[in-house]
Amino acid sequence: MERQKSMEKGLLRKSLSIRERKFPNEEAFLETGLARKSPREITKKAQNDDGECRVTATVFFSTFVAVSGSFCTGCGAGFSSGAQSGITKDLSLSVAEYSMFGSILTLGGLIGAIFSGKVADVLGRKRTMLFCEAFCVTGWLAVALAQDALWLDCGRLLLGIGVGLFSYVIPVYIAEIAPKHVRGSFVFANQLMQNCGIALFFIIGNFLPWRLLAIVGFVPCVLHVFCLFFIPESPRWLAKKGRDKECRSALQRLRGSDVDISREANTIRDTIEMSEVDGESRMSELFQRRYAYPLLIGVGLMFLQQLSGSSGVTYYASSLFNKGGFPSAIGTSVIATIMVPKAMLGTIIVDKMGRRTLLMASCAAMGLSALLLSVSYGFESFGILPDLTPIFTCIGVLGHIVAFAMGMGGLPWIIMAEIFPMNVKVSAGTLVTVTNWLFGWIITYTFNFMLEWNASGMFFIFSMVSAFSIVFIYFLVPETKGRSLEEIQALFSNSVQ
């Protein structure tokens, strides 16, 4: 508590210093309460003002529209599992060719991630989401109309580029518009909607032809484009671009017409002014001591998220059930039924339990599930307990996907959106997102080959990665629950000093 108070006072002193340098003869900022008051009074008043900040209908609607892009992402992720048998039969694809098709979504995501930060910085958060949908709409149509593996892969690649851009801009946009006391839950809705998309395709993929399934994925993308015209741009992006009048207008719309947004608007501007003292950082300048701690956390969480095998388990759930002797149609339907309520639970408790606790609980459950799958496939290879192998397989796959949905799936993206200051958000966010998609592609491309080679050994490795993730989170990841973005960035700044 004392550390947080000290951090807030330091941020306010820096803010006041910048204002005095820029406006030495003016008292225009007396109304904000930053002048002629003690740091204790300033801190108390700021906390009271933050507590009075409401969650308006505009914030709810803007968040819902933004995370609808994640629903499109979930549809893309769930498509490969439900469509596998139909595509391999109709287009006569080999295991290697279908592995390429399944994994090329993550390769496209990698390409989109490379440019995600810069595109979001140049176009703005809202127009970047529109830009994403151009790729997604074209990709779904190409898949639906494909007559050979080349068109199939091209469509999946375009879809992946859109998804890669989405993976950066959606959590950043929500983190920048949501009040701090609900920011975690609102950003976690990103994972909830992604799970809704996966669940929908797991269910309808059991009885719809794969071409019609692609058309179903096309429809929400078109609806998302229409809804994006009715939400405001991020106030923090507008402030960064020097569009103060539009920043205040967007902030007023988000917080309500009867709310005084002067303090929040000034705090946003102060923080951006402080980050501009160092100038916009390039990728090469990112590897400095002052950014090492948040960069280690962001890259480390994405690295561990993918090396836990999460993407492979989701993309090829049907193959895992079939290998364990469990009916894939029943298994995917059970997953779809449970994963959405579990993600809803995560959305509710993320701002109550905190990021660290939920992350460690998620990793522990994923590790145990992967260990159970390792044992199950080990029994299957030696012909031991054949009656129990399908049950172990079902519990292991179900537990892994549900545990991932509750924590490790969405929380690294929340933390990524919180920990980087505005002047490095583009380069740092790009690097973190590229890390996620690069290792996601490696896992999804090699997953089927490793499954055929040694399924038991593969899942044992995944369980060890989850165990290491718990240690990493316990010692390195700080709790960001209940803090504003400006307070979090001041915390990391103080940790370096």
Side-chain angles (χ1 to χ4, degrees):
M1 188 68 182
E2 291 299 322
R3 184 179 182 183
Q4 184 174 351
K5 287 181 179 179
S6 174
M7 173 191 69
E8 290 168 341
K9 291 175 184 178
L11 178 61
L12 288 163
R13 287 193 194 104
K14 289 180 181 178
S15 168
L16 185 56
S17 175
I18 286 175
R19 288 183 176 230
E20 287 172 346
R21 290 198 301 270
K22 291 188 71 175
F23 307 97
N25 299 318
E26 293 186 17
E27 295 186 0
F29 299 109
L30 288 176
E31 62 177 9
T32 66
L34 288 173
R36 298 177 184 174
K37 289 188 178 183
S38 68
R40 185 182 298 276
E41 292 172 321
I42 293 170
T43 302
K44 185 176 180 180
K45 191 174 190 302
Q47 289 171 339
N48 291 336
D49 288 350
D50 287 341
E52 294 168 3
C53 192
R54 295 189 311 232
V55 181
T56 62
T58 303
V59 173
F60 271 115
F61 178 72
S62 299
T63 301
F64 175 75
V65 170
V67 298
S68 295
S70 299
F71 182 82
C72 301
T73 300
C75 292
F79 179 81
S80 59
S81 178
Q84 182 169 359
S85 59
I87 290 177
T88 51
K89 180 181 178 182
D90 292 351
L91 300 182
S92 302
L93 300 186
S94 65
V95 173
E97 287 174 324
Y98 195 79
S99 292
M100 174 57 73
F101 169 73
S103 66
I104 207 167
L105 179 79
T106 51
L107 182 60
L110 174 61
I111 296 170
I114 291 171
F115 303 102
S116 59
K118 195 65 178 177
V119 172
D121 189 54
V122 172
L123 296 182
R125 315 317 190 202
K126 188 168 80 167
R127 282 183 291 181
T128 298
M129 287 187 270
L130 285 167
F131 185 59
C132 295
E133 289 296 8
F135 289 99
C136 293
V137 167
T138 308
W140 279 121
L141 287 176
V143 170
L145 301 174
Q147 297 300 320
D148 54 34
L150 178 62
W151 276 101
L152 203 65
D153 290 345
C154 287
R156 186 82 165 167
L157 181 69
L158 288 172
L159 181 61
I161 292 172
V163 167
L165 291 165
F166 267 141
S167 65
Y168 171 80
V169 72
I170 291 174
V172 167
Y173 174 77
I174 298 171
E176 290 178 350
I177 68 166
K180 67 180 182 180
H181 60 287
V182 294
R183 187 179 62 246
S185 296
F186 276 39
V187 178
F188 202 88
N190 178 41
Q191 180 68 18
L192 170 62
M193 291 298 285
Q194 186 172 326
N195 286 321
C196 289
I198 294 172
L200 174 67
F201 271 53
F202 272 10
I203 292 174
I204 66 177
N206 290 322
F207 54 86
L208 281 185
W210 64 272
R211 293 187 190 277
L212 186 55
L213 198 62
I215 296 298
V216 173
F218 167 82
V219 173
C221 296
V222 176
L223 294 176
H224 188 221
V225 170
F226 175 75
C227 293
L228 281 169
F229 289 100
F230 298 96
I231 66 173
E233 182 55 87
S234 162
R236 284 176 171 83
W237 180 80
L238 291 169
K240 183 183 178 185
K241 295 300 178 181
R243 295 155 64 174
D244 289 345
K245 185 176 180 181
E246 292 172 72
C247 169
R248 286 179 171 270
S249 175
L251 197 58
Q252 193 75 69
R253 185 177 166 190
L254 288 165
R255 300 295 179 252
S257 57
D258 58 338
V259 173
D260 182 7
I261 50 92
S262 297
R263 178 175 295 278
E264 186 175 4
N266 288 331
T267 302
I268 290 171
R269 186 170 61 178
D270 291 343
T271 306
I272 290 171
E273 287 171 351
M274 278 186 276
S275 67
E276 286 175 349
V277 170
D278 299 320
E280 192 75 28
S281 294
R282 303 177 201 170
M283 187 67 74
S284 59
E285 297 172 351
L286 187 60
F287 301 96
Q288 299 179 24
R289 183 172 175 267
R290 55 184 160 174
Y291 304 130
Y293 185 25
L295 195 63
L296 175 64
I297 293 169
V299 171
L301 285 175
M302 295 302 182
F303 176 77
L304 294 169
Q305 182 201 65
Q306 291 299 338
L307 287 190
S308 67
S310 54
S311 293
V313 174
T314 302
Y315 282 35
Y316 304 114
S318 294
S319 296
L320 294 175
F321 285 125
N322 289 332
K323 186 171 181 60
F326 193 88
S328 61
I330 296 174
T332 52
S333 297
V334 171
I335 290 172
T337 304
I338 294 179
M339 70 188 304
V340 174
K342 286 293 185 182
M344 290 178 66
L345 179 62
T347 304
I348 294 169
I349 66 177
V350 65
D351 277 316
K352 292 180 169 51
M353 287 182 63
R355 283 50 156 169
R356 279 167 50 86
T357 305
L358 199 54
L359 273 173
M360 288 189 286
S362 175
C363 289
M366 287 170 64
L368 291 173
S369 299
L371 192 60
L372 182 61
L373 283 169
S374 176
V375 172
S376 174
Y377 290 130
F379 285 171
E380 186 263 342
S381 63
F382 290 107
I384 302 173
L385 300 175
D387 294 334
L388 289 179
T389 299
I391 298 173
F392 286 170
T393 300
C394 179
I395 296 173
V397 174
L398 184 66
H400 199 281
I401 291 179
V402 168
F404 178 76
M406 281 196 66
M408 200 61 176
L411 285 173
W413 295 104
I414 295 177
I415 294 170
M416 182 271 291
E418 293 176 331
I419 60 177
F420 296 115
M422 287 298 289
N423 65 313
V424 296
K425 188 163 277 191
V426 172
S427 53
T430 298
L431 180 61
V432 169
T433 310
V434 164
T435 301
N436 181 276
W437 286 104
L438 174 62
F439 286 97
W441 175 72
I442 292 171
I443 292 297
T444 52
Y445 182 70
T446 59
F447 191 86
N448 275 329
F449 298 109
M450 291 191 294
L451 189 64
E452 294 296 325
W453 170 64
N454 191 335
S456 179
M458 177 180 71
F459 277 101
F460 180 76
I461 293 171
F462 290 159
S463 68
M464 293 299 100
V465 171
S466 295
F468 178 76
S469 300
I470 297 172
V471 177
F472 178 87
I473 293 161
Y474 182 81
F475 286 104
L476 291 176
V477 179
E479 183 56 71
T480 58
K481 178 187 75 171
R483 288 172 169 160
S484 70
L485 297 182
E486 289 72 30
E487 290 168 354
I488 294 167
Q489 288 148 26
L491 171 65
F492 280 105
S493 177
N494 289 345
S495 70
V496 173
Q497 295 170 3

